[in-house]
Structures are given as C-alpha cells and as structure tokens.
Amino acid sequence: MTHDLLDAKSAGAFGSLPGRRSVGIADARRVAMVLIWIVAALVGSARVALAQGGGDGETLFTQKCTACHTIGGGNLVGPDLAGVVDRRDPAWLSQWIAQPDKVLAAGDPIATQMLAEFNNVPMPNLALTEAEVSAIITYLANPGGAVTAPVVAMGVGDAAHGRALFTGASRLANGGPPCMSCHSIAGLGALGGGALGPDLTFAYNTYGGDAGVATFLNTMPTVTMNAVWARQPLTPAEQDDLRAFLQEASVQQRPPQALWQLTALSVLGTLLFMGAGHLYWRSRLGSVRKTMVQRARI
Amino acid sequence: MFDIVLFVVFPYVAVTVAIISGISRYRQNRFSYSSLSSQFLENRTLFWGSVPWHYGVITLLTAHLLPLLFPSLWGDLLSDRIRLYVLEVTGLGLALMTVVGMTLLIVRRLRSPRVLAVTSTADWLLLITLLTQVAIGFWIALVYRWGSGWYLHTSVPWMISLLVFQPEIQYVTALPWLVQFHLLAGFFLVLLFPFTRLVHVFTYPFTYLWRPIQVVIWNRRPPQKQRP
C-alpha cells in the first residue's frame, strides 16, 4: 500500500520516475537551442511588421484625429486644435497624445476639466508610437491652413435596416461583426447588447451628431475599433443606415444592465446541468454489491 | 516590444515546447501518458467534481475551437439575437459548472488524506491554473458580453495570424487586461501540458467520451481488529 502511494506520487510529479528526470533536463537543453532561433526569427519578423505602420504627421492626423478634432474649424467631439502647441506645455501634450487614458486615470486637472467639458467622452489611447506622436505635434505646430472634418458623403439612412445591421439580423457586406457583439443600445430587449465597448444609446449626440458620427463610422479611429474594422470596413450605405439607427435610439432611455439576470441564469444553468447529470448517472453504483460500495467509502 | 514577447513569442514557445516535450515524453516514458486516476482512493466527491468539470470544459473548448475552424459559419450562427442569447446563457451555465467542478476537485484533494498523499507540486500548479482560467473565462463572458461575437473578430484573427506565421497583435493588445490574461493563461496551459497529467487529453482512443461508465471499486477485506 505504502509502496503504491510512493510510486504514484513520484510518477505524478513530472509524469516520470525519479531516475528518468535527468533525461528530461537534457531534452530541455536541446529544445532551448531550437527555441532561441525561433524566438529570434519571430521577434525580427514581428518588428518589421510593426514598423510598417506610421507615416507623416498630416496623414496620421487625417487618419486618426479628424473624427473628433478640427484645426480652426471649431470644436467637434473634442476641442479645436488650432494653436494647441502654444496653449499647452510640450511635455504634457506628448504625454496626453500618447497615453490619454493614463493621464486621465492619474487625475490630471487639465484632462479632468476637458472630460467634463466634452460630454464625458474620454480621448481614447490610439497606441501611437513616440515617433508618431512627435510627427503629429510637428504637424499641429504648423498645419498650413484650417483643417475641418473630412466631408463624408452622407445619404439618407434607413433606421430599421440600421437596427438589423446592429443586431446582426442583416449581415454586413464586408464581413464585420454586428455592433451588438460589443455594444448595447436602447430598445434591444431583455438581455441587451454587448458590454465590451460602451453603450451607444446617446452616442449620436455625444459624438457630434450627423457629421461626427459619419466621420467616426468612416474612419473607426480608436484602437479597438480600428483593429476589427481596418480590413472589413462598413459600406457607405451601411454607415448611413447605422447613423440613422443611432439617431433614432438616442431619444430612448438607456437600457438596464442585464448583469444580475445573467448571473441568475448562469446559476440556474449550472444547477440544471448538474441535476441532469445526477439523474442520468444516479444508478451508477446500482449494479455493484452494496457491501462493496460501503467498504469503498472508508 | 513587451506585447510582442507576450502575444507572439510566448505562444510560439509554448506550442513548440508542448510538441517537442510531448513527443519526447511519449517516446521515453510512454506509460506516464495517463490521468493517474485517483478514483480508487476517493470516489464520492470525484463524481461531483470530475463529471461537471469534464463535460463542461470539453464543451467550452469546442466552443472556443469552432469559430477558429469555421469563422463564417460561427458568424451565421450568431446573426440571430435569440440564438446568440441561448448560446451565451448555455455557455455561462457550463462555465460556472466547470468552476464548481474544479473547486470540488481541489477541495477533494485537500480533504482526502489519501488523495493528498499522491498530489504533486505539478498537480497543484495545474489545478490552480485551470481554476483561475475557467473562473476568469466565466467572468469575462459575464462582464464583457457578448464574447462569442467579439472573440470571432479579435482573438480568432490573432490566432490565425499566428498559425500562418504573420503575427498581428493589434487584434488583442487593445482588449481589457483580463481578456489578455485569459489568452496568455491558455497558452500557459499548453506549456504545462507535457509536464503534467494534462497529457491524458491525448490518450488515444477517445472512446471514453461516450463509452458506458466503469465503476472502479477497491475491493478488500475490512480492517482487522488489532490485537491487544
């Protein structure tokens, strides 16, 4: 008995008997050599892949910033950036553009005040590199004229179809996910939409109405959105329909969080599954002599 | 740079080590490919731990694998709101069931002196990692809804990019840190595979999934009275 236990224990440790562990270590060394090469190759290729991004300040500004900012065209979702380089401390500005989430979390007074001023829409972290931040600041210092929101051609959208696109009932032409995977909005029903991204009930107004929302849907400027949508953008017609739906939803009340209902359903599901298992296997010891079962319980 | 180490280098290292060490262990220590069942030592709590755990985790792993294998089909499946809700609620129920199952399995190892005696450090590391992984998975599914939808458009393209050796980490680096932790812990489990009893996942044939139950009972004489 004791011998059995000892054996089982040593076999459990690394699945091998004590005498054989040295083999495992020699193996590990051989594996390590191969791995070093693989790792070196991978880091190299990934760095090349990442370095392919970037660009000059103007292009970056057009791609990443114009959904929310103008230069001399007035406030949009965020402030007008004309003369921002003169208004703000350079170090603060670089830090803010690079990591706005961290600056806000640290309770920076300027950031906190701007957040309140701009409908509590926080500036997203755009995961810009140091070089990209300085390229944007160089451009902001000397933009060479006013830059207003890029004019996105807008058609008249169909809110009902926008809703179908939002929930997934109509699939998006380029294969993008239904908005509901990550976002909730008023009027979706009991369990609502997703909670990975923000609730979009009032997004139409906070993101600057037709023009702001149109630019956002066209450029998908935030990091999370951009990763998902870069290769499967919304078509112009889909953008119109979704914009119309967002506008329609913005007058309704925000839906309640479904967190407690879901927790209750999870508990119920677990009990059901385990109950079913118990019923299905309840006679599992029925074919065994009772005395044997009793003895095994010691 | 740190993200590259986490989301490119680490997964490749984990999979490479798992494959090489897994094959090596099979060649050199074939009979250690086993779950090292402790059913002989304790059978009652095992049923309530092992059965919910295994049925739950196998179903959930399948649900993680299907979108990777058939992304378009998975997208079609979720296009109906009711189907999405049914799938999510079922998943949440199963996830909580695996949490309960694994908790019972851990409590059983601690409370039964016999089972505790055959539990190694590697076993503890594996059990704790598994419990952490399913608990976080459940929490993510509950708090960051609807995972079955966004998983298809974040983690799946990332894993496919790794499979075709053109890593694209931007799909996952902007996700909440708990989700990133869940992804990394998944690959940590792959790394643990060849060094623990997790190898029993690959014990062919797989008929144990549907064969009738086998009752394992230790038949022995009742303990004799001690002589004075």
Side-chain angles (χ1 to χ4, degrees), chain A residues 86-200:
Chain A
D86 307 322
R87 264 201 320 274
R88 304 285 184 209
D89 171 61
W92 183 90
L93 191 61
S94 327
Q95 175 72 12
W96 174 244
I97 297 176
Q99 297 181 313
D101 46 345
K102 289 208 175 129
V103 176
L104 262 173
D108 179 86
I110 304 173
T112 315
Q113 189 215 325
M114 281 202 296
L115 182 69
E117 197 179 330
F118 289 92
N119 294 313
N120 285 319
V121 179
M123 168 145 155
N125 186 325
L126 298 169
L128 300 166
T129 63
E130 235 172 272
E132 288 173 328
V133 172
S134 65
I136 289 174
I137 293 177
T138 313
Y139 171 71
L140 284 173
N142 192 7
V147 180
T148 50
V151 181
V152 178
M154 283 186 278
V156 179
D158 171 4
H161 191 240
R163 183 193 159 85
L165 292 170
F166 194 98
T167 61
S170 268
R171 302 295 300 278
L172 295 164
N174 293 327
C179 317
M180 193 183 143
S181 296
C182 303
H183 299 284
S184 198
I185 196 162
L188 277 191
L191 297 179
L196 183 70
D199 183 300
L200 298 181

Side-chain angles (χ1 to χ4, degrees), chain B residues 84-100:
Chain B
L84 171 79
Y85 288 160
V86 169
L87 196 82
E88 283 282 344
V89 169
T90 312
L92 280 166
L94 287 169
L96 190 60
M97 186 171 84
T98 56
V99 175
V100 171

Side-chain angles (χ1 to χ4, degrees), chain A residues 175-248:
Chain A
C179 317
M180 193 183 143
S181 296
C182 303
H183 299 284
S184 198
I185 196 162
L188 277 191
L191 297 179
L196 183 70
D199 183 300
L200 298 181
T201 305
F202 303 119
Y204 181 81
N205 291 324
T206 45
Y207 280 83
D210 257 345
V213 173
T215 323
F216 194 99
L217 290 176
N218 193 40
T219 52
M220 301 289 189
T222 62
V223 188
T224 340
M225 295 289 275
N226 204 272
V228 175
W229 295 96
R231 299 220 182 105
Q232 43 190 11
L234 295 166
T235 66
E238 285 167 351
Q239 293 174 32
D240 290 336
D241 293 346
L242 281 169
R243 205 180 60 247
F245 172 60
L246 288 176
Q247 183 177 13
E248 186 188 81

Side-chain angles (χ1 to χ4, degrees), chain B residues 23-41:
Chain B
I23 291 173
S24 153
R25 175 170 169 179
Y26 187 72
R27 286 169 60 91
Q28 296 177 4
N29 198 2
R30 189 159 299 185
F31 291 109
S32 74
Y33 260 67
S34 155
S35 63
L36 301 172
S37 167
S38 56
Q39 195 176 358
F40 260 133
L41 308 176

Side-chain angles (χ1 to χ4, degrees), chain A residues 28 30-41, chain B residues 12-14 16-17 20:
Chain A
R30 232 176 300 153
V31 172
M33 285 305 290
V34 180
L35 283 179
I36 290 171
W37 283 105
I38 298 176
V39 168
Chain B
Y12 280 123
V13 169
T16 313
V17 170
I20 296 178

